[in-house]
Amino acid sequence: SSGHRISRKMFYNESWERRYGRVIDEGTLTLLWSITVSIFSIGGLVGAIITTPIVKFFGRKHTLLINNVFAVMAALLMALCQLAGSFEMLLLGRIVMGIDAGVSLSALPIYLSEISPKEIRGALGQVTAIFICIGVFTAQVLGLPEIFGNESRWPYLFGVIVVPSLIQVGILPFLPESPHYLLLEKNDKSGAEKAFQTFFGKDDVSHELEESEAQRNVKLVSVLQLLRNRSVRWQIITVIITMACYQLCGLNAVSIPFQYVACNGSCLLLISIYILPEAGNGKILFLLIQGLAVERLGRRPLLIGGFGLMVIFFAVLTVSLTFQNHAYWLPYLSIFCILAIIASFCIGPGGIPFVLTGEFFQPSQKPAAFMIAGTVNWVSNFSVGLLFPFIQAGLLTFCFLVFAVVCLAGATYLFFVLPETKNKTINEISQAFAKRNKVTLEGQEMSQFPSERKSSEEQEHNFSSTLENGETKNNIL
């Protein structure tokens, strides 16, 4: 809440005055606050980068268990910062918490995708986004002035972080490790079979074992190799632009207008304090709606429509905030626009960029693709957290036009470049991008099952690409 944010800024002022004997100037305070907000993303980027070697060495389940050490460390640092009078502890806690988030958001999707049947694998990706919103909603409720959102109790809110960590530590040990990890990394076929039986709820898992075994000799593509691969050039560009717009579209700053609306009267002040948690509750509902719509309407119309609606509502929000003193009903229009922006994001862009990343690339390319997407995600998040306070101070209510431009650029790019990927195979999606990539794909994808695999010579022949000058380039995948 805004009160919670003000309390922490007061803590910065008090710590600075106690240490240096003078009040912190406004520019330094804004810079420190921007770093505090954005440094979480730096930790997230570090966590995303270190996840690959950790999950390979410790396994998926044990990585998630070990990751709780970061959560507990972050909770202690941030909860005790006021008692110690050190805003550096708050900064360090934010970094450590970011590492925890980066590892979780990388390791958890891997674990879920490897323990779930194909029929519900896509839906589980949406469930992850829903539970993220539940976590944000819970934090917003706990941040209300009546609970932890005041000057004396705000550090205790950070201590609440240990609660989900303790729940995870209590439950995860009783769940099996990823069967793919047990089979491919540990060569434990018996353990993998038991894990499949537990997660899939059936005794005959020979098909799943065979499918996993077929991936043993698949060589993963590095990030550099993927970036050099001409046949997926526009897929990579699309992932980068979509992920950047996902973070730069302004959803994380959508609570800022409440401080302008609140100035209109005490009734609106109460609305501004309590409506944000309700907006978080709405996110959960809209994500559920998107989970149903994404397989019916497709990815393309939801993405373009979502960004397009955000452009409209950001423009109306700017007008209503600028002239809110000219009519009594304009502040209420601002609140409606904020809720409409949240709804447009959740029904449209929310969650879909991650789905596209999984659909655009071959299995051997996905780890590198997700590394690129994760890097863009966290760097963009960092940029918003660092720069937006200065943009807001300089442009005031017109700052939301910046987000409107980002959404408009994203919608325009997707309209001209993005093909529909609903119910399409990787080969069909690759063919849709082939003209832009200036390659021609011939043949069908090699089956992953041992009984259907072709020789390397046949694979090279079937996966050849013809460039515009007539030369042939093999092994485009």
Side-chain angles (χ1 to χ4, degrees):
S1 66
S2 58
H4 190 199
R5 184 163 49 246
I6 293 171
S7 296
R8 281 180 283 176
K9 285 190 175 183
M10 290 176 61
F11 162 65
Y12 274 62
N13 263 324
E14 293 170 358
S15 300
W16 191 275
E17 186 174 6
R18 189 183 305 115
R19 186 177 305 174
Y20 301 106
R22 57 185 173 84
V23 177
I24 188 172
D25 63 89
E26 189 63 29
T28 304
L29 178 61
T30 302
L31 178 61
L32 279 175
W33 182 248
S34 298
I35 294 174
T36 303
V37 173
S38 59
I39 207 167
F40 174 82
S41 302
I42 297 298
L45 178 59
V46 173
I49 292 173
I50 67 175
T51 298
T52 300
I54 292 177
V55 296
K56 183 176 179 64
F57 185 80
F58 291 105
R60 286 56 161 156
K61 184 183 79 170
H62 289 94
T63 295
L64 293 172
L65 278 171
I66 295 171
N67 193 39
N68 289 291
V69 174
F70 292 115
V72 174
M73 288 175 55
L76 291 175
L77 285 168
M78 293 187 292
L80 298 176
C81 66
Q82 188 180 45
L83 183 63
S86 172
F87 60 82
E88 291 88 353
M89 289 178 62
L90 181 58
L91 287 169
L92 182 58
R94 289 279 295 173
I95 295 176
V96 176
M97 196 64 234
I99 294 174
D100 172 83
V103 173
S104 294
L105 292 178
S106 299
L108 181 60
I110 296 174
Y111 186 54
L112 290 177
S113 66
E114 292 179 350
I115 67 174
S116 59
K118 290 181 178 179
E119 294 78 13
I120 62 172
R121 194 168 295 167
L124 274 182
Q126 207 62 25
V127 169
T128 303
I130 291 171
F131 274 92
I132 290 174
C133 283
I134 291 175
V136 173
F137 171 68
T138 303
Q140 290 170 343
V141 171
L142 293 177
L144 292 174
E146 292 81 359
I147 308 178
F148 294 125
N150 56 52
E151 185 178 352
S152 60
R153 293 195 297 265
W154 66 262
Y156 299 118
L157 178 60
F158 296 117
V160 177
I161 295 172
V162 301
V163 175
S165 295
L166 292 176
I167 294 174
Q168 191 176 66
V169 170
I171 295 176
L172 266 180
F174 297 98
L175 298 177
E177 178 56 90
S178 163
H180 295 273
Y181 172 78
L182 293 173
L183 183 64
L184 303 180
E185 301 292 340
K186 295 297 183 180
N187 294 315
D188 184 2
K189 188 173 182 178
S190 176
E193 183 178 7
K194 292 179 181 178
F196 271 128
Q197 291 171 342
T198 300
F199 287 123
F200 286 48
K202 60 182 181 180
D203 295 328
D204 184 12
V205 291
S206 57
H207 177 77
E208 286 76 14
L209 287 171
E210 183 183 13
E211 185 178 23
S212 295
E213 188 72 35
Q215 301 177 25
R216 184 180 296 277
N217 297 322
V218 174
K219 185 177 180 180
L220 297 181
V221 174
S222 69
V223 172
L224 187 59
Q225 289 173 325
L226 187 65
L227 291 174
R228 289 176 174 176
N229 192 335
R230 186 172 183 175
S231 68
V232 293
R233 181 173 299 170
W234 278 94
Q235 289 93 313
I236 294 173
I237 294 173
T238 302
V239 165
I240 291 174
I241 291 179
T242 307
M243 195 63 69
C245 292
Y246 172 81
Q247 284 294 348
L248 300 176
C249 67
L251 187 75
N252 293 335
V254 79
S255 63
I256 300 298
F258 285 121
Q259 61 181 284
Y260 298 109
V261 177
C263 295
N264 196 261
S266 58
C267 177
L268 288 175
L269 175 61
L270 293 176
I271 292 175
S272 71
I273 292 175
Y274 291 100
I275 200 170
L276 188 56
E278 291 302 320
N281 200 16
K283 287 182 185 179
I284 301 171
L285 174 62
F286 290 126
L287 280 169
L288 286 171
I289 294 174
Q290 188 208 57
L292 298 174
V294 70
E295 296 299 339
R296 293 175 179 268
L297 301 179
R299 286 67 159 145
R300 177 181 160 87
L302 288 177
L303 273 173
I304 297 174
F307 280 131
L309 288 173
M310 291 179 74
V311 173
I312 296 172
F313 290 121
F314 268 128
V316 176
L317 176 63
T318 301
V319 174
S320 63
L321 287 175
T322 303
F323 298 101
Q324 66 174 334
N325 293 325
H326 291 71
Y328 75 92
W329 50 269
L330 280 176
Y332 298 95
L333 177 61
S334 300
I335 294 173
F336 169 79
C337 288
I338 293 169
L339 297 178
I341 290 168
I342 293 173
S344 301
F345 175 86
C346 291
I347 294 178
I352 294 182
F354 300 96
V355 175
L356 292 180
T357 306
E359 291 179 331
F360 281 170
F361 302 95
Q362 300 286 347
S364 61
Q365 300 170 333
K366 285 183 181 180
F370 274 103
M371 177 70 74
I372 295 172
T375 300
V376 174
N377 178 63
W378 287 110
V379 170
S380 301
N381 192 303
F382 171 78
S383 301
V384 171
L386 182 63
L387 299 178
F388 182 70
F390 296 97
I391 297 174
Q392 177 197 355
L395 298 179
L396 298 178
T397 57
F398 293 97
C399 64
F400 300 100
L401 292 179
V402 175
F403 299 124
V405 171
V406 171
C407 293
L408 179 61
T412 303
Y413 173 86
L414 293 170
F415 179 81
F416 288 105
V417 175
L418 180 67
E420 180 54 66
T421 62
K422 182 186 71 171
N423 297 329
K424 290 187 178 181
T425 65
I426 180 62
N427 282 340
E428 291 172 332
I429 296 173
S430 298
Q431 287 285 1
F433 279 104
K435 186 176 181 179
R436 290 189 181 276
N437 290 323
K438 298 181 180 180
V439 298
T440 302
L441 304 181
E442 298 178 357
Q444 301 297 319
E445 182 182 4
M446 182 182 67
S447 173
Q448 292 184 353
F449 294 98
S451 60
E452 300 175 0
R453 276 183 285 178
K454 300 179 181 181
S455 67
S456 59
E457 292 81 5
E458 292 175 311
Q459 182 186 7
E460 291 177 1
H461 174 73
N462 288 336
F463 282 105
S464 61
S465 62
T466 304
L467 305 182
E468 286 186 327
N469 60 5
E471 296 176 354
T472 299
K473 180 179 179 182
N474 293 325
N475 293 323
I476 63 170
L477 299 179

